[in-house]
Every structure is written in C-alpha cells, then in structure tokens.
Amino acid sequence: MNNSVGNTGRVLWAGLRALLVLTVICGVLYPLAVTGIAQVAFPGKANGSEVKVDGKVVGSELIGQTYNLPLKEGEETPAPDLKWFQPRPSNGLGSNSVNTQYSIILSGATNRSGDNGAVTGKDGREYCPAKPEEGTLCAQVTDAKAAVVKDNSVPGYTVKPSDVPADAVTSSGSGLDPHISPEYAKIQIHRVAEKNHLTVAQVDRLVADHTDGRILGFIGEPRVNVLELNIALKELTKG
C-alpha cells in the first residue's frame, strides 16, 4: 500500500515537473525567441505591416479599408467618397475617408455560389437575368456593376459595362482584400482626376507608380494597394 502511494506520488511529481518545464520552454522562452528574431529580421511584417503617415499608423498593407462619406439620415449604408480610389466591395471593411482613422468590423465572404441567382438559357449555359432575384449573388453583381459604371462615368469618359472587371463587383474570400486590379484602378482614374482637380495624366502616372507586378514574375496577378494609392493621392492634392 505504501509502495503504491509512493509510486503514485513520484509519477505525479514527475508529471508536474514536466508540465512546469514545458510551460516555461514552450509558453515563455520559445515565444520570446520567435518574437525577438521576428522583430530583428522582419520588424515591419512582425508588427502587422503597418502603414504610417507622418509617424501615425493609418492602416495595414494587408487589410483593406473603405472610403465613404458620413452616413446620412435615412441611409442604411454610407455612399462612397468618390474623390478617393475605391476598394473591392465588401461588408467586412471599416470606414476611412481621410486616411487618418482605422476601423475594422466584420470579415468574411458572401458564402454564395457562383451561380446563385443565375438562370439556364436555351444553350444550356447559366447567366444572370436582367432582373435577378433580390438577395442573390447575381443581384449583388448587377447592382454593383451599375454603380461602378455610374460613379466612374464623367464628362468625356464613359465606362462600359464590359469594362468593369470582376474584382470591382465581387468581394474577396476574406472580405478584407487591400488590393484591386490595375484594370479597376484605371477605370477610376478619370473620376478621381475630376473630383480632385488633377489631370488624367497625373492620376494615371500615380496608378502606374503604385502597381505591383507578379511575385517573382509569375506568381499571382498585378495589383494595386488601395490604401497606399490613396495616401499618395492625398500627398499629390496637397502639392
């Protein structure tokens, strides 16, 4: 009996010592070591890829933001502030119209299938009807495309529905994509130039300067970081 109790006590003590040692190693020393190495080797990425303007954090390179006007009485959602380049549509982005505030609420995809709201034509193919069912992906895309065409058509420049790229009317899987395609940025150039009293050439050059190519030349697609582009736009309008 005494031997059994003693053996049990030794096993419990050994387990407790192992728990304490592993807690210190895995819960304290290892995280401190990884954090220290990351801060030395990759300080920007380790701190969330923060974007700073005049020493103040205005966002992250990895998380998108919206650029909206203040919500008016009677509105369910705020209207976009058309003097800024607009990101991909998403209900997961926080509101930021002047690049000095940063607020994120929800994130996530629509969870709707690609054929949600589509109908099958005589040729067997599925397509979105002219008046899709309310609440479907087809309705969302149709409404978003009409808004993009309307918002970006200015005197002397008309956006055609066929010019609107997919990322202008659909959200990303996370709902927080910080990038848009160069094609979506380009159809916004005339509108941004008019709203900010700049020349089209100035804004076009701004987009070109902030267009990133494929990673290593073959991975992914060319992209434009909307936050960084709007920060540069703000600096340009100051000058």
Side-chain angles (χ1 to χ4, degrees), residues 87-139:
R88 297 183 66 168
S90 174
N91 292 326
L93 302 184
S95 177
N96 186 336
S97 64
V98 292
N99 287 330
T100 58
Q101 297 176 350
Y102 190 54
S103 174
I104 293 298
I105 41 175
L106 303 174
S107 65
T110 62
N111 291 327
R112 295 188 177 98
S113 64
D115 59 355
N116 182 240
V119 296
T120 303
K122 295 180 179 179
D123 57 359
R125 296 181 180 180
E126 293 184 332
Y127 64 94
C128 289
K131 294 183 178 181
E133 182 182 349
E134 192 68 27
T136 62
L137 182 63
C138 277

Side-chain angles (χ1 to χ4, degrees), residues 110-234:
T110 62
N111 291 327
R112 295 188 177 98
S113 64
D115 59 355
N116 182 240
V119 296
T120 303
K122 295 180 179 179
D123 57 359
R125 296 181 180 180
E126 293 184 332
Y127 64 94
C128 289
K131 294 183 178 181
E133 182 182 349
E134 192 68 27
T136 62
L137 182 63
C138 277
Q140 175 185 312
V141 169
T142 300
D143 292 344
K145 180 176 285 190
V148 170
V149 170
K150 178 184 176 183
D151 290 344
N152 293 285
S153 294
V154 297
Y157 178 77
T158 302
V159 177
K160 301 176 183 177
S162 58
D163 295 334
V164 180
D167 63 301
V169 296
T170 57
S171 61
S172 63
S174 67
L176 297 174
D177 193 345
H179 300 102
I180 58 175
S181 66
E183 291 75 21
Y184 186 25
K186 287 177 180 177
I187 66 173
Q188 300 186 60
I189 288 175
H190 287 76
R191 182 252 300 162
V192 170
E194 180 187 64
K195 295 292 183 180
N196 290 281
H197 308 291
L198 300 169
T199 67
V200 171
Q202 283 178 300
V203 182
D204 185 57
R205 185 162 55 250
L206 199 67
V207 170
D209 291 342
H210 289 81
T211 299
D212 298 320
R214 292 180 172 87
I215 301 173
L216 300 179
F218 66 94
I219 300 176
E221 296 293 333
R223 61 206 180 279
V224 180
N225 188 289
V226 181
L227 174 59
E228 294 180 346
L229 179 60
N230 279 332
I231 290 173
L233 174 63
K234 187 173 182 179

